[in-house]
Amino acid sequence: MGVRLMVVDDHRLLAEALASALKLRGHRVLAAAAPAAGAADLVISRAPEVCLLGTAAPAEAGTFDPVVKIKRERPQVAVVVLGPVPSPRGIAAAFAAGASGYVRHDERIEGVERAMLKARAGEAAVAPALLQGAFGELLNPAAQPDDEGARLLSMLTPREVEVLVRVAEGEDTRLIAAGMGIAPSTARTHVQRVLMKLGVGSRLEAAALAARTGLLDRASTRT
C-alpha cells in the first residue's frame, strides 16, 4: 500500500522532483515544500503518515526544530531526514528531535522508499553503514585542537567563514556581496552574525581577533 507523505527540502525543485518520483511509485504526496517558517505547520495541518525532511546541515543548531514541533503536535507522523553523510552529532540530533530515520540524500529512490515504509511501521530507518560510521567516529574521535581559534571557528557556518576571510582581506559589503553572488543586504546580515558570534563590535576587531587566534589560518584550510 502506498504511503501518504509530504516532502520538505531546502530546495523546492529537489522536493518536487522527489515527490514526482514517489508518485510514480504509487505513493500519495500531499505536498512538496521548502522548509520556510510555516513548513512544520503545513505538515501538522495535513497530517501525512511520513514526512521526508531534507537538510544540508544536520549538525547546525535549530536544524531539527521543525521535527520537534511536528512530533509534539502530530506524534503519529514519522519523520525521515534526508541529508549528507552525517557526523555522529548529526544523527544524534535528528533522532533526539524525534526523527524516525536518516537517509543520505544521494540514496537511490528504492532506499528512500524502504526508509519510508520502515518509518511508517514504527521502525528505525537508518542504513547500517551510517550507524557504523557514526559509532566509529564516536569511539575514535579525531583529535581536536584545544585553542581559541578552533573554538571560534566551530561557531561559524561555512558561509560565515567565507565572509570572515573577506572581511579580513578588507572587502566592504559591496565587494563581499559581489564575490559571493548574494545581495548586499544578505552580505550585511552575514557580517553582523559573524561579529555577534565572535563577540566583537567592528570588522577591524573581527579581523584582529581572527589573526591573533590563528582563526584565519584554520579558515583557509576549511574553505
Side-chain angles (χ1 to χ4, degrees):
M1 182 182 295
V3 176
R4 191 175 73 257
L5 66 110
M6 287 183 61
V7 182
V8 177
D9 196 282
D10 291 320
H11 304 286
R12 184 175 294 277
L13 288 177
L14 294 180
E16 291 176 349
L18 179 56
S20 296
L22 291 169
K23 284 180 181 178
L24 291 175
R25 300 179 73 86
H27 301 289
R28 182 185 174 193
V29 181
L30 302 181
D41 292 330
L42 183 60
V43 174
I44 291 167
S45 66
R46 303 298 293 274
E49 294 176 300
V50 176
C51 171
L52 297 178
L53 175 71
T55 177
E60 282 193 10
T63 295
F64 299 118
D65 287 351
V67 181
V68 174
K69 185 173 183 179
I70 291 168
K71 296 303 291 185
R72 181 175 64 245
E73 300 294 331
R74 295 282 188 179
Q76 73 275 19
V77 175
V79 180
V80 176
V81 175
L82 304 178
V85 177
S87 67
R89 292 181 183 275
I91 289 183
F95 280 92
S100 299
Y102 193 109
V103 179
R104 284 178 48 165
H105 58 193
D106 58 354
E107 178 63 79
R108 295 173 62 88
I109 190 68
E110 293 85 359
V112 176
E113 188 174 42
R114 283 194 298 271
M116 288 164 37
L117 293 171
K118 290 186 68 174
R120 184 177 67 172
E123 303 174 31
V126 59
L130 286 182
L131 285 179
Q132 290 170 4
F135 280 119
E137 189 174 335
L138 285 172
L139 294 174
N140 301 286
Q144 297 295 324
D146 185 18
D147 59 40
E148 188 177 4
R151 180 184 64 80
L152 293 173
L153 184 60
S154 69
M155 298 166 58
L156 304 177
T157 66
R159 179 58 63 92
E160 290 166 350
V161 170
E162 182 179 354
V163 168
L164 176 61
V165 171
R166 291 178 180 275
V167 166
E169 291 174 349
E171 293 187 8
D172 59 17
T173 300
R174 179 180 57 81
L175 287 176
I176 292 173
M180 298 179 67
I182 57 180
S185 59
T186 302
R188 192 174 300 108
T189 297
H190 283 312
V191 171
Q192 291 171 348
R193 287 178 178 171
V194 169
L195 298 183
M196 180 184 67
K197 288 185 177 182
L198 296 183
V200 297
S202 70
R203 300 181 184 210
L204 183 60
E205 289 181 54
L209 176 63
R212 176 175 60 80
T213 60
L215 197 159
L216 286 178
D217 294 333
R218 298 183 184 280
S220 64
T221 60
R222 176 165 159 180
T223 56

